[in-house]
Amino acid sequence: MSTASHPGFQTGPSTAWTIELFQRDGAPPLRVSCRCLSHRSRPGENGEMLFLGLWELRNGGYIVARSLLDGDAPKATADKAENLETAMLLIEAATAALEKSAGMTFVPGDLSPTSFGQALQRLQSRSERRHSFMKLAGEALDDWQRLVGTEFDSTH
């Protein structure tokens, strides 16, 4: 699966079916026949690309492919969704988890000034990455909402 190299990259519904390989955190990759319904990406704090995409499976259902923001560097992950509503709920749950993690406190302990500074930079970077992903999720959910009730919504 490819992502664009410029901010705000977006694609709309595609009629072309392709075979895609989606990486998943803690699970084997998914190789599926699908078509892209929506894909958005934007650069993160350290130049990495954050992305969020919705793919329709040829045999029914959807794949939600996204950046996973655990740790210091984002990873790619994907989840299956039975319908468009479930796909939207997956993103809402991911953003809620990010909001919850934003409230975590930082206890400096016995860090040296250099280590303390590095820890603060990591926290700032994570915060900026969360903010970028939240904006991306809002844009993507707006795109997906427009698909409800159309030919790309398998629940109708």
Side-chain angles (χ1 to χ4, degrees):
M1 184 179 74
S2 62
T3 58
S5 61
H6 60 281
F9 173 75
Q10 173 190 356
T11 61
S14 170
T15 57
W17 295 97
T18 62
I19 302 294
E20 297 287 337
L21 182 68
F22 296 95
Q23 298 299 318
R24 297 190 301 164
D25 186 52
L30 290 172
R31 182 177 163 87
V32 295
S33 176
C34 58
R35 62 182 173 180
C36 182
L37 298 182
S38 171
H39 182 86
R40 287 195 173 256
S41 64
R42 71 174 57 239
E45 168 64 18
N46 296 320
E48 72 275 348
M49 289 305 289
L50 302 178
F51 69 94
L52 184 53
L54 179 68
W55 299 73
E56 182 182 18
L57 296 170
R58 185 183 289 257
N59 61 355
Y62 300 89
I63 295 287
V64 176
R66 65 181 174 91
S67 298
L68 180 64
L69 304 183
D70 287 345
D72 289 330
K75 301 180 277 187
T77 193
D79 296 294
K80 285 186 176 181
E82 185 176 311
N83 55 46
L84 196 50
E85 181 180 352
T86 303
M88 293 170 138
L89 289 173
L90 284 170
I91 295 307
E92 289 172 6
T95 57
L98 284 175
E99 287 175 350
K100 185 177 180 179
S101 71
M104 296 175 63
T105 59
F106 173 66
V107 180
D110 295 327
L111 295 177
S112 70
T114 301
S115 296
F116 181 72
Q118 290 169 343
L120 285 176
Q121 285 177 335
R122 278 195 309 276
L123 284 174
Q124 180 180 0
S125 178
R126 287 180 184 177
S127 175
E128 290 171 359
R129 192 179 298 130
R130 269 194 307 271
H131 179 73
S132 289
F133 187 80
M134 296 290 224
K135 286 177 66 175
L136 192 65
E139 293 166 357
L141 287 172
D142 285 346
D143 292 346
W144 300 5
Q145 187 64 43
R146 286 190 283 276
L147 296 172
V148 173
T150 69
E151 65 180 297
F152 299 105
D153 182 359
S154 63
T155 59
H156 291 91

